[in-house]
Amino acid sequence: MARLPANGPSYSIKGHGRGGPSRPKSQYAGLLRLIASGALCILMLGIYLYLRALHAVSLGTDFSNRHAQQQQENRMMGHNGHGHVGMHGRMSSGQRKNWLKNKVRENKHAHLKGGVVGGGGGHDGTEMEDEEEANAHAELYGENALDTNSENGDLDPTVEDSQSEDGGAAAADSHDNPEIDSVNDKVKDETNYKTPWHGKAPPTPPWWMESDPDDSFERIFLPSEEKKKYKHLRNLDKGGHVNKGIGLKHFFNPMCRHYRFDETVFPTVSVIMTTQNEPDDWISLSVESILARTPPALLVEVIVVDDNGTPGHHGLPKNIRKGVDEDEWTYLESLSPKVKVIHHDDREGCARSRLSGARVATGEVLMFVDSHIEMLSSTWYHHLAIPIIENPRTIAMQTIDVVDDLGSKDYSAGVGPLQYGIVSTEFWFGYQADRFGDYSEPIDATQFTEEELIERKKMKYQAERPHDREPYETPFGPGSLFAIRADEFWRLGGYDEGLFVWGGENTEMAFKMWMCGGRMLMVPCSRVGHMYRQHKEKDGRGALTRWPPTLPQEMTDRLGCAYKNSTYTGKFVVLKHPADNFTRITTRNNMRIMETWVGDHPAKSAYYKRLFGQEKPKPEFQRFIDDWEKDPAALKQVRIKKENKCHDFEWWDKYVYMRLTGRHHPWHLDNKKYQKVSCGSHKAKSCELCPQGNGKDWCNGDCKWCDKLEKCLPEEDSSKLCKAKGLQISDKVKEAAHERTKTKAKEGRHLEKRKRATLAENVIEDDNKLTLS
């Protein structure tokens, strides 16, 4: 039997070639090799993507570390909390460039020394970041920006930076990273950053100080020939006719004369002066002092508004101008072509008269003054203009020195004190000598709980007084003697045209300025003499009252304030007393301001309760409020308040009044322990202190004068202590009244020296100051 070969039969299958049945196994092996190759590629791709992710993380971490390090360095160098330089919280372009140069220099050194991490000649994430920053800023600093000198760090154009093909690819790929693009875009923006002064140097302040005093007190801006025309201009220096020949230079802080000014950057000014029944050539003295002591290049005009009215116009009496010197207008216009006079047919009052002048004024700054003032130095306007230049939304007010109102025009009252402007519970303007001083006064145990007393005694307070040279903020100011930019004045709507005669224009303007984003400053280095019409004088016809002014019946009828007219009959009782014409109109003005700027705040109800004994006005006064709902002038003020997005009264009390005076508004519940009795037009700690040497004329309001005792007594006690029909007062009652007087006198001896001196001179001070024009 034939045997087959050990390896079996030899045969072939067509198409498979040599090897026979083993060929399919070879085919599967090739397929496996292909799959393994693909898996390896995927693995390498995954590793590559992983490395890319690590690169992004390391880039972010490194950027954060560098940013934190830069913050630390900036804090050590005194930079702001954002780690950057400048008022905008960012690094300046020069500092950014230096930082980038240092980083490029470090990266370049590492590259030249072969500091490449990773295999296959590739670049890791750190080098790719360095390459990216280098490429990004080569465009900013020039082609040679990356070349460095290893010794001194200067740019070296001989050293060329080469990139491997892989490195170039890595750098190119890095542009696809949004973090890197964001950083580079930010850097480019910073290098293109424009300074706030559009590439110019920072501005120079308009004033500076020098070691020698100037001649601002003696200097006048008049040629010798022109000076001869001025009949009333006075010498205020030593040897003159004021203050017993001593002069007024000592009224100023001596450093006020060390200021110097760049007048080329100062705004021009229009002075607006309103006048009515002004005696004794006061208008001429006021105008002459302005013309003589204001730089001609800055003074555009002096606008005098004659508010005396025209006889017979709208029922005005024929003798309405009996106290007016008609020749004085001609004299004023002869002084200078800058003097302009406006005559009113009707009597409009302070606010409306100032509006008349403001409408025709052409200066960049409006300066409102009275017609009984005297400028005391030739730099009065410079000192007012500085705060306005620094902050255009500013009212800058002069410091007042009191001029005698009985004919001598002397400064016998001495230097006017620096004080804060406030308002009383009757909404009258006054002054406060210091702030936070109430906290240092003797503690009244009846005003605090036992726990509060314990804490109060532990506290130590110091009264703060205004600086005698630098401007200081104040909640309120007088109705005139202040400067304001013309555009700012009209932004605030000017004065409310519904304010007539006198009163309210100063409080309205203060509310507007503070609530609508501005500020009010007293300027000690700008001083002015001002005559308060606070006394009476006599001539051959008997006593002549200088204040308040006598109002024509036409005006009270026009405003609905008469006792009897064709439209309404009312009693008009204010503070428990029948109100005269002047009180009715001023109360009407104050109510108008309350309705617009205090609004529905509880302070308004408290004010009405103080005036009328109830939280809502009496019918005769409520009628005004009803009319204002359709009054175009009142609606205009509401619109101005809305357009300027002005703050409310609560904001004003918190951020203005309390901050600047140390007290809440007068009607706040916390102020009960500070309240004083009303003497009529002013306030005092007791009725017996109301007269201040002026007799029964200053004993009104909550008090009543007793002719028998010649004392001012509380109204509720006056009937007991001062009996009518000539009955004799018992010795016991007299002795009791005398003891109270001695007690008050003893308390007066413990007053501060300044207060005692002021009271002795019969000058109203602190928050007892009369609100007189």
Side-chain angles (χ1 to χ4, degrees):
M1 182 176 182
R3 299 180 63 183
L4 294 175
N7 57 356
S10 177
Y11 62 90
S12 64
I13 300 176
K14 189 176 180 180
H16 287 273
R18 191 176 180 177
S22 64
R23 297 299 294 273
K25 295 181 179 180
S26 176
Q27 181 181 11
Y28 292 131
L31 182 60
L32 291 174
R33 284 194 298 271
L34 181 61
I35 293 173
S37 300
L40 181 60
C41 291
I42 293 174
L43 178 61
M44 294 179 63
L45 179 60
I47 295 173
Y48 174 76
L49 294 177
Y50 176 73
L51 293 175
R52 293 284 297 178
L54 286 178
H55 164 255
V57 173
S58 63
L59 178 64
T61 302
D62 183 70
F63 180 81
S64 299
N65 292 338
R66 285 187 282 117
H67 183 68
Q69 181 182 1
Q70 184 67 37
Q71 281 187 320
Q72 181 64 23
E73 293 175 356
N74 288 342
R75 282 194 294 267
M76 294 176 63
M77 296 172 62
H79 297 161
N80 61 34
H82 297 288
H84 298 301
V85 177
M87 62 183 295
H88 300 285
R90 60 190 304 173
M91 193 183 300
S92 68
S93 59
Q95 291 171 320
R96 182 68 178 171
K97 289 181 179 181
N98 291 334
W99 178 81
L100 289 171
K101 288 178 182 179
N102 293 333
K103 295 299 297 182
V104 171
R105 184 182 304 115
E106 295 173 1
N107 297 337
K108 184 62 179 178
H109 289 171
H111 179 72
L112 294 177
K113 294 179 180 179
V116 180
V117 181
H123 295 69
D124 71 343
T126 303
E127 184 170 356
M128 284 191 293
E129 177 192 349
D130 296 338
E131 294 280 352
E132 175 63 21
E133 289 181 345
N135 290 335
H137 297 290
E139 179 182 355
L140 298 176
Y141 299 107
E143 292 297 326
N144 296 326
L146 303 182
D147 302 329
T148 60
N149 184 295
S150 60
E151 296 297 332
N152 54 26
D154 294 334
L155 297 181
D156 185 356
T158 62
V159 180
E160 296 291 338
D161 182 25
S162 62
Q163 288 185 338
S164 66
E165 184 177 353
D166 293 340
D173 289 342
S174 68
H175 286 286
D176 297 331
N177 190 320
E179 287 192 17
I180 297 177
D181 292 339
S182 176
V183 172
N184 290 336
D185 291 342
K186 182 177 179 180
V187 172
K188 290 181 180 180
D189 290 342
E190 289 180 350
T191 57
N192 295 328
Y193 173 72
K194 298 297 183 182
T195 66
W197 306 286
H198 305 288
K200 299 181 181 179
T204 300
W207 67 276
W208 66 98
M209 301 188 78
E210 294 186 359
S211 56
D212 296 326
D214 65 6
D215 61 343
S216 59
F217 195 77
E218 300 85 358
R219 185 196 322 153
I220 59 173
F221 300 98
L222 295 175
S224 56
E225 291 298 322
E226 186 176 352
K227 182 181 177 181
K228 295 178 181 179
K229 298 190 304 182
Y230 287 59
K231 301 178 181 178
H232 309 281
L233 186 64
R234 303 195 293 182
N235 177 13
L236 304 179
D237 202 356
K238 289 183 178 181
H241 299 88
V242 297
N243 203 18
K244 300 179 180 180
I246 301 175
L248 307 178
K249 189 180 296 185
H250 63 284
F251 283 17
F252 293 77
N253 182 312
M255 291 308 299
C256 293
R257 302 184 63 197
H258 290 257
Y259 282 69
R260 300 295 187 272
F261 308 95
D262 180 8
E263 293 184 0
T264 61
V265 299
F266 273 62
T268 57
V269 59
S270 293
V271 179
I272 300 168
M273 178 185 298
T274 58
T275 181
Q276 183 187 110
N277 285 337
E278 199 66 73
D280 304 332
D281 301 315
W282 261 111
I283 307 175
S284 299
L285 172 60
S286 303
V287 172
E288 288 182 6
S289 71
I290 294 171
L291 292 173
R293 297 189 175 100
T294 310
L298 299 180
L299 180 63
V300 177
E301 58 208 347
V302 180
I303 302 172
V304 182
V305 182
D306 168 21
D307 193 43
N308 290 285
T310 301
H313 191 270
H314 286 172
L316 288 177
K318 293 183 179 180
N319 64 343
I320 193 69
R321 300 179 67 89
K322 63 180 179 180
V324 179
D325 183 1
E326 303 295 350
D327 295 334
E328 192 168 15
W329 310 116
T330 304
Y331 171 74
L332 293 174
E333 292 176 325
S334 69
L335 291 175
S336 170
K338 293 184 177 181
V339 179
K340 305 173 184 178
V341 180
I342 299 175
H343 299 281
H344 281 172
D345 290 331
D346 291 318
R347 284 197 170 182
E348 304 291 354
C350 295
R352 294 170 63 89
S353 296
R354 288 169 187 154
L355 279 173
S356 297
R359 290 190 179 104
V360 300
T362 58
E364 299 170 286
V365 169
L366 305 179
M367 178 68 191
F368 295 98
V369 301
D370 290 334
S371 55
H372 36 262
I373 59 99
E374 184 175 26
M375 297 300 177
L376 302 188
S377 76
S378 62
T379 56
W380 69 267
Y381 175 63
H382 300 81
H383 288 285
L384 288 182
I386 288 175
I388 296 176
I389 295 174
E390 295 173 344
N391 181 354
R393 294 188 173 181
T394 297
I395 286 179
M397 298 173 287
Q398 291 187 282
T399 300
I400 297 176
D401 294 305
V402 181
V403 183
D404 184 17
D405 68 323
L406 292 180
S408 67
K409 297 187 180 71
D410 205 353
Y411 292 79
S412 56
V415 182
L418 300 175
Q419 303 181 99
Y420 299 97
I422 61 171
V423 290
S424 66
T425 52
E426 293 79 27
F427 205 28
W428 292 118
F429 170 73
Y431 288 101
Q432 177 177 302
D434 54 46
R435 58 185 177 190
F436 313 126
D438 299 319
Y439 299 91
S440 61
E441 291 180 353
I443 299 174
D444 184 356
T446 63
Q447 301 294 338
F448 303 95
T449 64
E450 183 176 352
E451 292 78 9
E452 289 175 337
L453 282 173
I454 295 174
E455 292 299 322
R456 188 82 171 186
K457 292 178 180 179
K458 295 179 181 178
M459 300 178 183
K460 294 182 179 180
Y461 295 93
Q462 290 184 347
E464 295 180 1
R465 296 186 177 180
H467 198 282
D468 62 354
R469 176 179 60 85
E470 296 181 349
Y472 60 93
E473 293 181 334
T474 179
F476 292 101
S480 65
L481 305 174
F482 71 88
I484 182 176
R485 280 177 57 122
D487 53 358
E488 181 68 6
F489 179 76
W490 295 117
R491 177 183 77 88
L492 300 175
Y495 285 109
D496 182 357
E497 295 182 74
L499 301 177
F500 286 87
V501 185
W502 182 91
E505 70 276 359
N506 58 327
T507 50
E508 185 226 14
M509 186 58 65
F511 276 150
K512 282 182 177 180
M513 180 57 74
W514 279 115
M515 292 184 184
C516 303
R519 62 175 184 167
M520 298 184 70
L521 299 176
M522 288 284 193
V523 184
C525 284
S526 179
R527 305 190 73 94
V528 59
H530 180 268
M531 183 266 287
Y532 288 101
R533 304 176 186 180
Q534 61 191 24
H535 294 99
K536 290 183 177 181
E537 63 179 352
K538 294 183 179 181
D539 61 7
R541 296 171 294 175
L544 296 177
T545 302
R546 305 195 60 155
W547 193 263
T550 301
L551 302 180
Q553 188 69 31
E554 174 274 334
M555 173 166 285
T556 55
D557 287 347
R558 175 157 50 108
L559 300 179
C561 293
Y563 278 111
K564 294 181 180 181
N565 56 48
S566 59
T567 58
Y568 185 77
T569 299
K571 295 183 179 180
F572 294 99
V573 175
V574 177
L575 295 173
K576 303 177 183 179
H577 293 278
D580 57 20
N581 288 346
F582 184 78
T583 302
R584 292 174 227 157
I585 293 178
T586 53
T587 302
R588 173 189 178 277
N589 289 349
N590 287 339
M591 290 175 57
R592 188 178 178 99
I593 299 168
M594 277 280 172
E595 294 293 328
T596 303
W597 294 99
V598 180
D600 295 330
H601 193 277
K604 183 179 72 174
S605 299
Y607 167 69
Y608 288 152
K609 187 173 183 179
R610 172 62 182 158
L611 259 60
F612 310 122
Q614 58 189 41
E615 294 186 352
K616 291 185 178 181
K618 296 289 184 67
E620 55 268 27
F621 285 105
Q622 179 64 40
R623 176 175 172 271
F624 298 138
I625 299 176
D626 297 337
D627 292 341
W628 295 334
E629 293 179 356
K630 299 179 182 179
D631 180 14
L635 295 176
K636 175 185 176 182
Q637 296 305 315
V638 174
R639 176 176 57 82
I640 290 293
K641 183 178 180 181
K642 184 177 180 180
E643 289 177 352
N644 286 285
K645 296 180 173 58
C646 303
H647 295 287
D648 58 16
F649 184 81
E650 184 68 24
W651 179 94
W652 173 86
D653 177 61
K654 179 178 180 180
Y655 292 101
V656 179
Y657 204 77
M658 182 66 183
R659 176 175 65 88
L660 298 181
T661 68
R663 294 183 184 179
H664 288 290
H665 62 80
W667 309 279
H668 196 282
L669 294 178
D670 189 49
N671 283 349
K672 286 186 176 180
K673 53 183 173 289
Y674 306 128
Q675 290 178 359
K676 302 176 181 179
V677 299
S678 172
C679 306
S681 298
H682 66 290
K683 303 183 75 174
K685 290 185 177 181
S686 67
C687 288
E688 294 181 54
L689 295 178
C690 282
Q692 300 185 20
N694 294 279
K696 63 181 180 180
D697 294 323
W698 284 30
C699 180
N700 298 289
D702 297 330
C703 310
K704 190 173 182 180
W705 182 259
C706 175
D707 290 324
K708 296 293 182 179
L709 294 177
E710 295 187 351
K711 297 292 182 184
C712 185
L713 305 175
E715 185 178 23
E716 58 271 16
D717 297 335
S718 60
S719 58
K720 299 178 182 179
L721 299 178
C722 191
K723 296 182 180 180
K725 297 182 181 181
L727 294 179
Q728 295 294 325
I729 301 176
S730 66
D731 295 337
K732 186 175 181 180
V733 173
K734 287 184 178 181
E735 183 178 355
H738 182 64
E739 287 298 325
R740 283 196 300 273
T741 303
K742 289 174 61 179
T743 302
K744 294 299 180 181
K746 184 177 180 180
E747 292 177 356
R749 287 196 295 271
H750 292 286
L751 291 174
E752 298 177 14
K753 181 179 180 181
R754 180 187 59 78
K755 292 184 178 180
R756 293 202 311 272
T758 308
L759 289 173
E761 295 171 353
N762 293 330
V763 177
I764 313 166
E765 50 83 38
D766 297 346
D767 54 349
N768 297 332
K769 190 110 179 168
L770 278 177
T771 52
L772 304 180
S773 172

